[in-house]
């Protein structure tokens, strides 16, 4: 049996309401508490789906310097696939700054988000000249996108 995701449900549910209304059948009304739980669940799924869908678009500005496919030639910055769980500046595929190598950072969602927000403030002396991403939602989309590459 196919499972509906939040987007499919949002498209199908109005059509179903029209069909039920036009059929003339009488059906018992749903318990309002159950309706709220379903709506809450759908909005959470829709939010997760939205973040997942926006990840590649949010990463586009990063892709100017960073690659996520090891088959692609090195960009200005290091490849980012498999980044989470590694120590900053420890991968042999890039000439990292001494500041990043000595930062002691282990990349996880929290440290990566802080770095994306403000690279120079997080690691003073990093070679990453990018000013950062101020939008919290966009940062989360980028981190989630990178986490999905592992």
């Amino acid at each position: 049996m196919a499972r509906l995701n939040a987007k499919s449900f949002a498209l199908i549910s109005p059509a179903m309401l029209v069909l039920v209304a036009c059929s003339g059948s009488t059906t018992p009304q749903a318990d309002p508490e159950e309706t709220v739980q379903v709506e809450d669940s759908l909005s959470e799924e829709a939010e997760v789906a939205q973040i997942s869908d926006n990840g590649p678009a949010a990463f586009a500005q990063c892709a100017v310097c960073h690659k996520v496919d090891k088959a692609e030639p090195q960009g200005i910055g290091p490849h980012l696939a498999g980044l989470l769980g590694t120590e900053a500046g420890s991968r042999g595929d890039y000439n990292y700054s001494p500041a990043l190598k000595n930062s002691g950072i282990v990349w996880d969602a929290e440290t990566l988000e802080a770095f994306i927000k403000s690279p120079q403030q997080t690691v003073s002396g990093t070679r990453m000249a990018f000013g950062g991403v101020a939008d919290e939602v966009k940062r989360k989309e980028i981190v989630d996108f990178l986490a999905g590459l592992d």
Side-chain angles (χ1 to χ4, degrees), residues 61-95:
Q61 71 187 57
C62 309
V64 172
C65 297
H66 297 280
K67 305 301 178 200
V68 294
D69 182 350
K70 293 274 185 176
E72 291 183 272
Q74 184 73 41
I76 294 169
H79 281 92
L80 297 181
L83 181 69
L84 284 120
T86 66
E87 188 173 338
S90 67
R91 294 171 26 167
D93 62 346
Y94 186 76
N95 184 19

Side-chain angles (χ1 to χ4, degrees), residues 129-149:
F130 179 67
V133 176
D135 184 327
E136 183 177 353
V137 172
K138 193 168 187 177
R139 287 193 313 268
K140 180 161 179 35
E141 291 169 348
I142 294 167
V143 170
D144 288 349
F145 172 74
L146 292 173
L149 297 175

Side-chain angles (χ1 to χ4, degrees), residues 32-67:
E33 288 182 23
E34 289 179 15
T35 303
V36 170
Q37 288 175 343
V38 169
E39 288 172 358
D40 288 346
S41 173
L42 288 175
S43 63
E44 288 173 18
E45 285 183 21
E47 183 178 331
V48 169
Q50 185 68 35
I51 288 171
S52 299
D53 291 346
N54 290 342
F59 184 77
Q61 71 187 57
C62 309
V64 172
C65 297
H66 297 280
K67 305 301 178 200

Side-chain angles (χ1 to χ4, degrees), residues 116-128:
I116 292 169
K117 180 179 182 180
S118 180
Q120 291 293 328
Q121 192 171 21
T122 304
V123 179
S124 179
T126 183
R127 289 188 183 125
M128 188 161 157

